[in-house]
Amino acid sequence: MALTTAERNKRKRERKKRERADAQKLQQQQLEEEAANKSQKDDDDDVQVEIEYVAEPPPENNSNNINQGVDDDQDLQAVMRRFQDRAALVYVTDGEDANNTTSEIDTKSAKEHHTDNLNDDEENSNNILSKTKLKAMFRPTVASLKQRSLNPELVEAHDITAPDPEFLIYLKGIPGTVPVPRHWGRKRKYLQGKRGVEKPPFALPDFIVKTGICDVRDATAEDDAKMSVKQKNRARVSGKGAGVDVDYR
């Protein structure tokens, strides 16, 4: 028997209600499980564990091994005593106290280590000098170089920068020596600069001069010089014709 539309809609509504109820039940169960897990974790966290660090006592010297490395035993005892003192400072009674003590000790040790590093860096920076400063320290002055040399008149200001200034002055004082010119290290060749050189006037190339255009221009210039002022004004107002004004004399 076929169902009517009203019955079909009714069954759909009932099915949706059942699905919503099942979803709500699943969600409620998940929330209860999460709450139970949280309570169990809180109970586990409330349990306090006390840890006590016991330092190992330093080894004692045996009377039988006195002659066999007494100094080594003393050094070992000093090292062990140092570690024992550090370990004895750190012990835990409660969780909060342990955290406070360890944080204070860590901050103190970090500050001491930082200050020691800064002091070491300052001492190293003060002791270490660069190559330029070392060269400047061992470089003689012009006055001292003149006092030590046999020819003080040959000493110049830039001679102190030489690798061996005294030997340089000795070479300068040998008769017959020729000084090295100052332009030996320059990229531009000697007397190749444009400073102090007059620029020549412009001249036409030879292949243009051979055509005789210079003579034609000179002839026209002479004709213009012979013209009066009225003739020049009349020529300027009237203008030139289309032909080329060339005199083939």
Side-chain angles (χ1 to χ4, degrees):
M1 185 175 178
L3 296 174
T4 61
T5 55
E7 290 178 353
R8 286 199 203 104
N9 293 332
K10 186 178 180 180
R11 288 185 179 183
K12 284 182 182 180
R13 286 195 295 270
E14 289 177 356
R15 188 172 61 251
K16 288 182 179 179
K17 284 181 181 179
R18 286 196 300 271
E19 289 177 356
R20 287 198 208 98
D22 294 338
Q24 288 179 359
K25 285 181 181 179
L26 288 173
Q27 190 174 4
Q28 190 173 2
Q29 288 177 1
Q30 290 177 358
L31 292 174
E32 289 177 357
E33 289 177 359
E34 289 179 358
N37 292 329
K38 285 183 180 179
S39 62
Q40 188 176 1
K41 287 182 180 179
D42 294 336
D43 294 338
D44 294 337
D45 293 337
D46 291 338
V47 177
Q48 294 182 357
V49 179
E50 294 183 0
I51 301 171
E52 184 177 359
Y53 294 94
V54 179
E56 184 180 359
E60 297 180 357
N61 283 330
N62 295 324
S63 60
N64 296 328
N65 297 327
I66 292 174
N67 295 326
Q68 298 179 357
V70 176
D71 296 333
D72 296 336
D73 292 338
Q74 290 178 356
D75 295 336
L76 182 61
Q77 283 183 4
V79 174
M80 293 297 293
R81 208 175 287 115
R82 189 180 300 171
F83 282 105
Q84 182 188 6
D85 295 338
R86 287 186 181 180
L89 289 173
V90 183
Y91 60 92
V92 179
T93 57
D94 292 327
E96 296 180 357
D97 296 337
N99 293 329
N100 293 330
T101 52
T102 52
S103 62
E104 288 177 0
I105 293 167
D106 291 337
T107 52
K108 287 181 181 179
S109 61
K111 287 181 181 179
E112 292 176 357
H113 185 64
H114 184 62
T115 52
D116 293 337
N117 290 334
L118 289 175
N119 294 327
D120 294 337
D121 293 338
E122 290 178 357
E123 290 177 358
N124 292 329
S125 62
N126 292 328
N127 294 329
I128 297 171
L129 295 174
S130 61
K131 292 182 180 180
T132 55
K133 290 183 179 180
L134 286 172
K135 288 181 181 178
M137 285 174 61
F138 292 109
R139 189 177 293 165
T141 59
V142 178
S144 62
L145 189 60
K146 284 185 177 182
Q147 290 176 359
R148 284 183 285 178
S149 61
L150 298 175
N151 299 314
E153 67 276 2
L154 300 176
V155 178
E156 295 179 358
H158 55 81
D159 289 339
I160 59 174
T161 59
D164 194 353
E166 295 179 359
F167 184 65
L168 178 62
I169 302 304
Y170 171 74
L171 292 177
K172 281 185 176 182
I174 296 173
T177 55
V178 179
V180 179
R182 294 180 181 273
H183 60 82
W184 70 270
R186 295 177 184 172
K187 294 182 180 179
R188 184 178 294 175
K189 294 182 180 180
Y190 183 61
L191 296 178
Q192 293 298 316
K194 295 181 179 180
R195 186 179 296 177
V197 179
E198 294 182 0
K199 188 176 180 180
F202 176 74
L204 288 171
D206 295 335
F207 62 91
I208 295 176
V209 174
K210 289 178 182 179
T211 58
I213 191 67
C214 296
D215 298 335
V216 175
R217 292 181 67 185
D218 293 339
T220 55
E222 289 177 1
D223 293 340
D224 291 338
K226 291 177 182 179
M227 291 172 64
S228 62
V229 178
K230 289 182 179 180
Q231 290 175 349
K232 288 180 181 180
N233 292 331
R234 196 179 298 117
R236 188 174 68 250
V237 171
S238 62
K240 294 182 179 181
V244 179
D245 190 7
V246 177
D247 189 0
Y248 293 101
R249 288 176 289 181

